Amino acid sequence: MSSSDIFIGETIGTAILILLGGGVCAAVTLKASKARNAGWLAIAFGWGFAVLTAVYTSAPLSGAHLNPAVTLALTIKDGGWNNLPVYWGGQLLGAMIGATLVWVVYYGQFRAHLTDPEIVGAAEEGASKAVEAEEPAAGPVLGIFSTGPEIRHAVQNLATEIIGTVVLVLAVLTQGLNDKGNGLGPLGALITALVVVAIGLSLGGPTGYAINPARDLGPRIVHALLPLPNKGGSDWSYAWVPVVGPLIGGAIAAGLYNVAFA
């Protein structure tokens, strides 16, 4: 795979991942959406199908890493550090494009939601409490773009992201790789999608299961930049957890694979 193929494949694939994954979060969250209040099952399966679609689309070009933690694990496993920045750059750009497309698709719903007196009032109350607690407020639609903890405890939140990512990456390394071992093949796409659903249903409750640094950081940047009325804060004090946690998890999974399976 050439560097250009890797970058294009990861950009397109991650954009599709975030468009469909962030899209299901928007569908469930926003007022005037037909899927409002569809619940956690819809989100978990929506993200799983988003992974499936993104992998099948991008695998021929880049091997469909779509996740800096997966790229790090494969690099630790096989070497090839020169391609790491190319993968990571495509993944971050794709995540930002996907998040922007979610905003385009749900533009009217975003405006209706963020100008609703009930939503705005609750957001302002939350912001006041956050200031009192000396923590930046997460805006009322931040959860569409990025993750956040139900209970803010840095050690627990970090451990949750590490553990979830270890499960994901071990599944990729042991069951999902293509014949060349450098990305996901057709069967690997289905396996990975089902593992993502399982992680969401079983381990997603505490933090919203980022398990992917680009998935969280790229959309959080977009949330900070978009001209959304009454959007509130982007919760940058928490943003390091869904970046560092999955990277640690990916490295641990690669180490476990090399010790136990290689």
Side-chain angles (χ1 to χ4, degrees), residues 95-105 145 222 226:
M96 294 177 69
I97 292 171
T100 303
L101 291 176
V102 172
W103 170 65
V104 172
V105 171
F145 294 89
V222 170
L226 281 176

Side-chain angles (χ1 to χ4, degrees), residues 1 37 54 93 95 97 104-105 137 162 168 176-177 189 204 223 225-226 234 245:
M1 293 178 288
N37 295 324
L93 176 61
I97 292 171
V104 172
V105 171
I162 291 171
L168 171 64
L177 292 180
H223 175 271
L225 296 176
L226 281 176
S234 300

Side-chain angles (χ1 to χ4, degrees), residues 30-60:
L30 296 175
K31 287 194 169 185
S33 165
K34 293 181 182 295
R36 179 168 168 78
N37 295 324
W40 191 248
L41 278 174
I43 290 174
F45 277 96
W47 274 103
F49 292 138
V51 169
L52 190 67
T53 307
V55 169
Y56 278 132
T57 303
S58 62

